[in-house]
């Protein structure tokens, strides 16, 4: 059964194109970032995820050059762009920034919005690149329109085109899909990722949505209270979380309290192996889908106290003797029991994770 493990190592053999090294930032009495380190390989897409106020946007601002770190350094393609005595201005970093609200200029046409960051180029070259990126992103037919005439998805694509027009070495995206409804968000996100991968553009995408983070990034970096709690592929960080916080961020868990004895933690649902020292308090985290109906007598007796139908799945609330809080079991399709029924429930193999008690 998976147990707490160290954060996944960053395995790229090539030197990282971006290296954030021990970066800290304080605002008044609040520590927004605390010794954050993160690397990004060429062409890699990382999803930076976490609860509101955990430091995601603060980190993006430091990388973009909108703000400066109090400590630590940031290196881009081997050159330090922020650190003790060093600060490269945002316009000289070759980093694109796509804002959550898109920040399109309302008085400029789509073409002028996209070409806004190309003012240093000769006019003919700026027009050529603007036309090229509009065609690539699929907004050429909107060239003469103004932002207020565009749908949310169209505005998102124009903002992406504007960010990519200067050919940045790195694109930073702050909650780029949060203003779109769910169906449109999924489609636009897939289109955006395909464009970034086709261009080979490295990107950091900030999101608060765990499912989006798992689906979109080559790697995921989960932040907690100004620090990086764990990094890894979506599958690694979901299946092998290093802490109870990480486990519960990506999927709700049933918690069972216990104590380590002889390499196990005994609970009303069975004993689970652990490497915690004897006598140490433990929390057994069991994801909802890991609870399964067992043959009578082969599991713990559970009374169904409620049910919630969610379409493809149904969730049952269960009362188990010796467990203080109701457990939640998620089953595909229709539940095998209704409120008032009694079931025998067990935990699927590798379905429990053991962490030190908080």
């Amino acid at each position: 059964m998976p147990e707490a493990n160290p954060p996944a190592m960053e395995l790229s053999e090539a030197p990282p194109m971006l290296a954030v090294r021990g970066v800290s930032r304080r605002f008044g009495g609040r520590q927004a970032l605390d010794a954050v380190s993160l690397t990004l390989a060429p062409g890699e897409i990382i999803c930076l995820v976490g609860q509101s106020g955990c430091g995601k946007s603060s980190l993006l601002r430091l990388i973009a050059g909108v703000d400066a770190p109090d400590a630590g350094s940031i290196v881009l393609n081997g050159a330090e762009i922020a650190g003790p005595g060093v600060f490269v201005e945002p316009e000289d970093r070759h980093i694109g920034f796509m804002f959550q609200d898109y920040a399109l200029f309302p008085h400029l046409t789509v073409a002028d919005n996209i070409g806004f960051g190309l003012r240093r180029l000769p006019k003919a070259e700026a027009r050529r690149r603007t036309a090229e990126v509009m065609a690539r992103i699929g907004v050429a037919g909107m060239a003469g329109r103004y932002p207020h005439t565009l749908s949310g998805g169209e505005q998102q694509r124009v903002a992406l085109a504007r960010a990519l027009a200067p050919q940045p070495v790195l694109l930073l995206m702050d909650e780029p899909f949060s203003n779109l409804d769910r169906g449109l968000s999924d489609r636009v996100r897939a289109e955006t990722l395909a464009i970034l991968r086709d261009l080979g553009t490295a990107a950091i995408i900030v999101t608060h949505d765990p499912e989006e983070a798992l689906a979109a990034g080559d790697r995921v970096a989960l932040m907690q209270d100004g620090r990086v709690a764990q990094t890894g592929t979506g599958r690694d960080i979901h299946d092998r979380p290093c802490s109870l916080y990480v486990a519960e961020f990506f999927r709700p868990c049933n918690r069972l309290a216990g104590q380590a004895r002889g390499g196990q933690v005994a609970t009303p649902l069975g004993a689970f192996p652990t490497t915690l020292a004897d006598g140490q308090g433990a929390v057994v985290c069991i994801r909802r889908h890991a609870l399964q109906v067992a043959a009578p007598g082969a599991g713990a007796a559970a009374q169904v106290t409620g049910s919630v139908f969610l379409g493809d799945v149904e969730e049952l609330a269960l009362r188990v003797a010796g467990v203080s809080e109701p457990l939640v079991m998620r089953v595909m399709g229709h539940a095998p029991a209704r409120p008032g029924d009694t079931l025998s429930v067990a935990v699927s193999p590798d379905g429990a994770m053991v962490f030190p008690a908080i």
Side-chain angles (χ1 to χ4, degrees):
M1 295 181 182
E3 194 169 334
N5 69 331
M9 296 294 289
E10 296 175 346
L11 300 177
S12 174
E13 295 181 1
M17 62 91 62
L18 176 74
V20 177
R21 298 171 176 166
V23 162
S24 296
R25 184 71 172 102
R26 178 179 288 274
F27 298 102
R30 184 177 70 89
Q31 189 74 44
L33 296 169
D34 187 4
V36 170
S37 294
L38 187 70
T39 62
L40 187 70
E44 185 179 26
I45 298 173
I46 283 184
C47 278
L48 194 62
V49 65
Q51 298 173 347
S52 297
C54 70
K56 306 184 301 295
S57 295
S58 294
L59 180 57
L60 237 59
R61 289 169 61 86
L62 296 186
I63 297 170
V66 179
D67 194 12
D70 297 325
S73 64
I74 302 173
V75 176
L76 182 66
N77 284 332
E80 189 172 51
I81 58 173
V86 176
F87 185 80
V88 175
E89 294 296 331
E91 59 269 24
D92 296 322
R93 295 190 179 194
H94 306 293
I95 293 175
F97 202 129
M98 186 171 164
F99 297 91
Q100 179 178 2
D101 61 0
Y102 311 138
L104 299 176
F105 299 112
H107 62 290
L108 297 182
T109 64
V110 165
D112 289 339
N113 263 283
I114 293 171
F116 186 81
L118 304 177
R119 291 168 297 169
R120 292 184 178 184
L121 296 178
K123 289 184 178 180
E125 173 64 12
R127 285 196 297 269
R128 184 195 65 78
R129 192 175 297 176
T130 297
E132 184 179 83
V133 74
M134 283 196 300
R136 181 64 187 83
I137 307 301
V139 296
M142 310 173 194
R145 293 171 60 183
Y146 288 86
H148 73 275
T149 70
L150 306 176
S151 68
E154 290 170 338
Q155 289 184 30
Q156 197 274 350
R157 283 192 285 272
V158 172
L160 176 64
R162 184 178 66 180
L164 291 175
Q167 299 177 323
V169 296
L170 170 64
L171 179 61
L172 307 177
M173 309 175 76
D174 193 359
E175 300 274 7
F177 313 112
S178 62
N179 291 333
L180 307 176
D181 62 49
R182 186 56 183 264
L184 180 60
S185 173
D186 291 346
R187 179 168 62 81
V188 172
R189 183 179 69 232
E191 292 172 352
T192 300
L193 294 173
I195 290 168
L196 293 176
R197 291 196 166 104
D198 185 52
L199 295 173
T201 303
I204 300 177
I205 301 175
V206 162
T207 179
H208 66 276
D209 185 337
E211 290 188 1
E212 181 170 270
L214 294 174
D218 299 315
R219 279 190 302 141
V220 177
L222 172 61
M223 294 193 67
Q224 178 187 12
D225 298 331
R227 299 182 178 183
V228 175
Q230 186 172 351
T231 62
T233 66
R235 190 174 297 277
D236 283 342
I237 203 170
H238 178 276
D239 293 349
R240 288 176 287 278
C242 68
S243 68
L244 182 62
Y245 174 81
V246 176
E248 292 190 323
F249 183 86
F250 289 102
R251 284 290 182 271
C253 288
N254 296 293
R255 290 190 185 190
L256 300 178
Q259 199 170 60
R261 294 289 180 194
Q264 292 187 323
V265 178
T267 77
L269 293 184
F272 302 96
T274 182
T275 58
L276 297 177
D278 278 8
Q280 185 172 355
V283 176
V284 180
C285 175
I286 301 171
R287 291 214 168 103
R288 295 175 177 181
H289 67 270
L291 283 177
Q292 298 180 341
V293 177
Q303 183 182 30
V304 180
T305 60
S307 66
V308 178
F309 180 63
L310 300 172
D312 292 338
V313 299
E314 192 164 358
E315 291 187 343
L316 297 181
L318 307 173
R319 178 70 66 183
V320 176
V323 180
S324 59
E325 297 293 329
L327 303 179
V328 178
M329 178 171 68
R330 173 170 282 209
V331 296
M332 294 297 297
H334 294 284
R338 309 312 307 164
D341 294 343
T342 299
L343 293 174
S344 181
V345 296
V347 180
S348 64
D350 298 324
M353 296 168 282
V354 180
F355 301 101
I358 299 173

